[in-house]
Amino acid sequence: MISTPQTVETQLLEVNLGPQHPSTHGVFRMQVTLDGETIVKLKPVMGYLHRNHEQIGEGITYVASFPFTDRLDYFCAMSNNLGLALAIEQLGGIQVSERGEYLRVIMAELTRVLNHTAVTGFLLNDMGAFGTPLLYAFREREKILDLFEAASGSRMMCNYIRPGGVREDVPEGWLARARQLVDGYPQFLDEFETLLTKNEILRQRTQGVGVLSKALAINASVTGPLLRASGVDYDLRKVDGYSFYPRFKFRVPLGTVGDVYDRYYVRILEIRESLAILQQALKDIPGGPAISPKGLALVKAPRTFRPPKGEAYGRIEAPKGELGFYLVSDGTPQPYRYHIRAPSFVNLTILEDLCLGHKVADVIVILGSIDIVMGEVDR
Amino acid sequence: MLPPLETLKSELEARVPGLTLTVEGTTLVIPREKLLDVCRWLKDAEPLACDYLADLTAVDYPPDPAGGAGRLDVVYHLYSMSKKHGPVTLKVPLPRANPVVASVTPIWRGAEFQEREAYDLFGVRFEGHPDLRRILLWDEFEGHPMRKDYVVEDQNVLG
């Protein structure tokens, strides 16, 4: 044992984590100041994927923005579509067809299942369990992507949900396939959990790491599973009751400590609740048109849609948190102002607070537990 | 439940000395000197408890050919997580030539990045912000591209 003299001099070291690094989840950079292995300062640097999406949206019709929203959070294209559709419906007073609304709930919840599964896989990757858990997660994700492809023609860039309903009805036999997937999913989840939830290594790496207090979470506008893992009961599906969510029975899982482990476990529980919603929605879905007449007219002739002067803020509970679309109309076919409140962007505000005092290896895990997608952060 | 907008308006005018509000659609338009007082009251007043700043952005209205002066609005969407109600929408009109407004980051940390974004893309300067730098564009970038009169160099060239 070598004893360290009390007067040893240390120097702070500045390191860039990213932007080209697999664990930064895209082109994201963290300017980190280290004291040995300990973080004393961390500044997020973003914008590498910035394409001024909002300005593009102000130059085209309302409906033409849908394919662009797919590229925001490219894991959850369906949720992004839904958010924009809600804002446009609010602005133009468009009713949604009954079947269309059901299909939207089904797509949004499948997206949540997909996102939370994949994120858990990525989180394990960040912890050093290379490959295996991620591939398990991706195997299941692939099945959902197959469903998306059958419905919309595209695996990830779905461009499917429209104001008033969905672009086109699902093909024959799709609902039966979806039911099959939903019925089989808990089995995979149980297997996944056997490997992870009580895993000693996972617990040691995540429990007590990156604790987010309830007060800071609320004050810093944190939303989504991150907020609920800190014990705040705020789920827009319950609070706003948009779409048909009030019709379904589901619970909102809450964490107690607010550490990385709670975030992991809240996501697993949320998958189970989403599956419960899917069971009910797939059972109750009625026949009829997949899009309302007014919505169909809008989709067929986007330039004729001139919402009255005014503004709307439509928000949904996307898998990553509150996704909001702020639209200002001046009575022309293009929005005068088109703003996106991206959940990952706002959730990054507290990254430094979570990381201070932790080691470099923990930063990677904490970032993984926040769940960011740069397409949405940079817009 | 939130009180109706007119009730909220008269309540606010009674609580914040020297404040006159106008209602524009569903939003409350606030003079910029009074923004912090209004925000503090909205956050602290028991029946409102707007503890959650959901969204902060700006809207640019350039001067029109008819002679209108133009303005730059900063828009705030407030909700309450404890009472589960909202939104209270606030608007602060600023002169386009000198858009300076007090930062609400000391009240809601959630404004930190969103104010940096509004500074970056619109050029709104938030006084009292702890770290007001560009966030999406690089530091050497000139101009604020979300302003309506921003001239794009060449539409046909990518990158």
Side-chain angles (χ1 to χ4, degrees):
Chain A
M1 201 63 186
I2 305 161
S3 62
T4 322
Q6 292 296 307
T7 52
V8 68
E9 293 233 341
T10 61
Q11 235 178 354
L12 294 182
L13 183 68
E14 276 188 39
V15 183
N16 275 317
L17 298 180
Q20 276 90 13
H21 191 272
S23 64
T24 53
H25 298 257
V27 276
F28 178 62
R29 178 152 67 101
M30 289 175 277
Q31 275 178 345
V32 179
T33 309
L34 297 173
D35 181 9
E37 273 270 320
T38 312
I39 310 289
V40 292
K41 194 177 157 197
L42 185 150
K43 291 286 166 211
V45 183
M46 54 195 94
Y48 295 95
L49 224 54
H50 181 59
R51 56 227 183 255
N52 220 346
H53 172 70
E54 295 179 2
Q55 198 183 46
I56 296 172
E58 287 169 15
I60 54 182
T61 58
Y62 288 88
V63 179
S65 279
F66 277 99
F68 287 101
T69 60
D70 289 340
R71 276 101 182 143
L72 285 171
D73 174 357
Y74 40 77
F75 263 82
C76 314
M78 291 282 193
S79 307
N80 301 339
N81 292 172
L82 180 58
L84 180 56
L86 280 185
I88 294 177
E89 282 155 13
Q90 218 176 308
L91 201 60
I94 299 166
Q95 299 295 316
V96 188
S97 77
E98 177 113 350
R99 186 178 172 84
E101 198 78 278
Y102 267 94
L103 283 172
R104 279 151 64 140
V105 169
I106 291 169
M107 295 305 175
E109 290 312 310
L110 280 174
T111 306
R112 196 180 317 278
V113 172
L114 172 162
N115 179 72
H116 287 357
T117 311
V119 155
T120 310
F122 280 126
L123 181 67
L124 268 292
N125 228 16
D126 292 343
M127 265 177 237
F130 283 117
T132 314
L134 183 64
L135 284 179
Y136 272 40
F138 266 43
R139 185 188 64 201
E140 300 307 308
R141 170 176 175 259
E142 207 63 27
K143 294 177 188 165
I144 300 177
L145 291 184
D146 284 347
L147 282 178
F148 284 173
E149 187 176 19
S152 74
S154 180
R155 281 153 33 87
M156 287 172 80
M157 303 294 119
C158 301
N159 182 18
Y160 184 61
I161 293 169
R162 288 287 181 276
V166 296
R167 184 160 45 99
E168 52 199 318
D169 207 341
V170 289
E172 229 180 287
W174 191 92
L175 291 172
R177 275 175 70 189
R179 265 179 221 122
Q180 210 183 349
L181 179 128
V182 171
D183 289 340
Y185 215 87
Q187 198 194 339
F188 153 75
L189 215 53
D190 292 340
E191 185 196 6
F192 208 44
E193 269 210 73
T194 337
L195 294 171
L196 303 177
T197 302
K198 288 186 179 161
N199 186 313
E200 190 61 30
I201 305 174
L202 183 129
R203 290 194 158 206
Q204 290 207 348
R205 284 300 304 280
T206 55
Q207 285 183 333
V209 173
V211 177
L212 175 62
S213 72
K214 216 170 166 170
L216 180 63
I218 296 175
N219 194 250
S221 303
V222 169
T223 44
L226 202 59
L227 173 75
R228 292 188 286 275
S230 293
V232 184
D233 180 10
Y234 195 74
D235 187 320
L236 298 185
R237 291 173 295 172
K238 292 273 190 199
V239 175
D240 285 6
Y242 64 91
S243 197
F244 276 169
Y245 282 108
R247 292 193 186 187
F248 304 117
K249 271 175 92 172
F250 66 100
R251 291 169 301 175
V252 180
L254 298 179
T256 46
V257 188
D259 55 5
V260 176
Y261 184 80
D262 276 7
R263 281 169 222 151
Y264 151 77
Y265 202 53
V266 160
R267 288 201 175 99
I268 294 283
L269 294 175
E270 277 191 13
I271 297 178
R272 293 193 189 276
E273 294 306 317
S274 289
L275 291 172
I277 298 175
L278 280 166
Q279 293 274 13
Q280 298 166 53
L282 286 165
K283 189 162 80 49
D284 300 343
I285 183 166
I291 189 163
S292 65
K294 210 172 167 188
L296 190 65
L298 195 166
V299 172
K300 288 240 161 109
R303 291 224 149 250
T304 58
F305 178 63
R306 292 156 194 266
K309 277 186 187 183
E311 53 182 65
Y313 181 67
R315 56 178 199 160
I316 62 157
E317 184 68 40
K320 292 177 169 61
E322 173 177 333
L323 175 69
F325 284 87
Y326 176 63
L327 297 174
V328 178
S329 165
D330 60 348
T332 59
Q334 292 102 359
Y336 185 77
R337 176 85 176 99
Y338 168 75
H339 171 72
I340 299 146
R341 187 259 192 227
S344 334
F345 175 70
V346 181
N347 285 357
L348 274 177
T349 312
I350 40 88
L351 180 64
E352 184 177 21
D353 303 65
L354 296 188
C355 291
L356 289 183
H358 284 295
K359 307 284 186 233
V360 176
D362 293 330
V363 171
I364 308 297
V365 177
I366 292 169
L367 183 69
S369 76
I370 293 182
D371 183 12
I372 59 165
V373 159
M374 293 318 283
E376 180 180 77
V377 175
D378 291 344
R379 281 158 294 148
Chain B
M1 277 298 287
L2 271 182
L5 210 55
E6 286 300 325
T7 326
L8 192 61
K9 173 179 181 282
S10 43
E11 183 94 341
L12 262 169
E13 282 173 338
R15 297 301 172 116
V16 181
L19 174 75
T20 15
L21 294 171
T22 38
V23 176
E24 220 175 70
T26 52
T27 60
L28 291 171
V29 182
I30 298 171
R32 67 169 153 178
E33 312 78 52
K34 297 289 176 193
L35 174 70
L36 282 188
D37 294 337
V38 170
C39 286
R40 277 202 200 97
W41 187 80
L42 286 173
K43 190 186 173 198
D44 297 335
E46 187 45 40
L48 288 161
C50 293
D51 48 11
Y52 168 43
L53 174 80
D55 181 51
L56 187 158
T57 189
V59 188
D60 183 28
Y61 297 95
D64 56 63
R71 66 186 216 191
L72 191 59
D73 285 354
V74 182
V75 187
Y76 305 80
H77 283 89
L78 305 175
Y79 287 83
S80 170
M81 278 194 188
S82 49
K83 306 266 179 195
K84 295 197 170 57
H85 61 214
V88 177
T89 314
L90 310 177
K91 244 181 214 177
V92 181
L94 304 173
R96 290 184 86 243
N98 184 27
V100 184
V101 69
S103 165
V104 294
T105 307
I107 304 177
W108 297 286
R109 256 301 288 289
E112 188 181 337
F113 281 14
Q114 303 191 61
E115 284 185 339
R116 277 179 68 185
E117 189 192 329
Y119 165 71
D120 192 356
L121 303 180
F122 286 91
V124 181
R125 288 196 307 284
F126 294 92
E127 266 178 355
H129 189 285
D131 183 24
L132 195 63
R133 290 178 291 135
R134 285 190 184 271
I135 189 164
L136 295 175
L137 298 164
W138 55 102
D139 291 341
E140 296 78 23
F141 190 89
E142 282 174 24
H144 303 286
M146 282 303 287
R147 292 243 189 150
K148 290 283 178 186
D149 52 4
Y150 180 81
V151 182
V152 183
E153 279 167 22
D154 189 346
Q155 287 276 13
N156 298 318
V157 177
L158 289 174

